[in-house]
C-alpha cells in the first residue's frame, strides 16, 4: 500500500514541477490575477471539496438524526417486547 501512495505522490510531484508557468485568471470587472498553474489547480480542488462538504452536510446531519431515532425506537421496542409475555414466550413450554 505504501508503494502505491509513494507512486501517487511522485506522479503528482512531477506534475507540479512540470506546471510552474504562471497563468492569468481574468476575474470580474477587469481584475486579473497571476499564479502558478499548480497553485490555481490546488485552490480549485480545495474550493470544490469545501463546497461538496457544505452541500452534503445537511443531508449527513439529517441521516445521523434519523439513525439515532431508529436506534432509540428499536431499543424501546425491544424493552417493551421483553416485558410482554404472550403465547410464544419460551417460559410457557410451548
Amino acid at each position: 500500500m505504501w508503494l502505491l501512495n509513494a507512486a501517487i505522490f511522485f506522479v503528482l510531484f512531477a506534475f507540479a514541477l512540470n506546471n510552474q508557468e504562471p497563468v492569468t485568471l481574468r476575474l470580474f470587472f477587469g481584475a486579473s490575477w497571476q499564479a502558478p498553474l499548480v497553485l490555481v489547480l490546488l485552490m480549485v480542488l480545495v474550493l470544490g471539496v469545501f463546497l461538496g462538504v457544505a452541500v452534503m452536510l445537511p443531508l449527513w446531519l439529517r441521516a445521523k438524526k434519523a439513525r439515532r431515532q431508529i436506534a432509540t425506537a428499536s431499543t424501546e421496542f425491544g424493552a417493551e417486547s421483553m416485558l410482554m409475555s404472550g403465547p410464544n414466550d419460551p417460559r410457557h413450554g410451548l
Side-chain angles (χ1 to χ4, degrees):
M1 184 67 187
W2 65 270
L3 189 60
L4 178 65
N5 289 339
I8 291 172
F9 171 77
F10 285 119
V11 166
L12 292 176
F13 187 70
F15 177 78
L17 288 177
N18 288 328
N19 291 295
Q20 292 183 357
E21 297 85 22
V23 293
T24 302
L25 295 177
R26 292 181 188 6
L27 305 170
F28 298 112
F29 307 113
S32 64
W33 182 59
Q34 281 192 338
L37 177 61
V38 171
L39 182 63
V40 172
L41 290 174
L42 179 64
M43 289 176 48
V44 168
L45 173 71
V46 169
L47 180 66
V49 168
F50 176 75
L51 289 176
V53 168
V55 168
M56 288 298 296
L57 190 61
L59 297 173
W60 288 333
L61 293 175
R62 196 176 317 148
K64 185 176 180 179
K65 182 179 176 184
R67 278 192 304 255
R68 193 176 303 134
Q69 287 175 346
I70 289 171
T72 304
S74 66
T75 56
E76 288 175 2
F77 178 73
E80 289 174 5
S81 66
M82 294 292 281
L83 293 176
M84 297 181 344
S85 63
N88 293 332
D89 192 0
R91 292 179 289 178
H92 292 294
L94 296 176

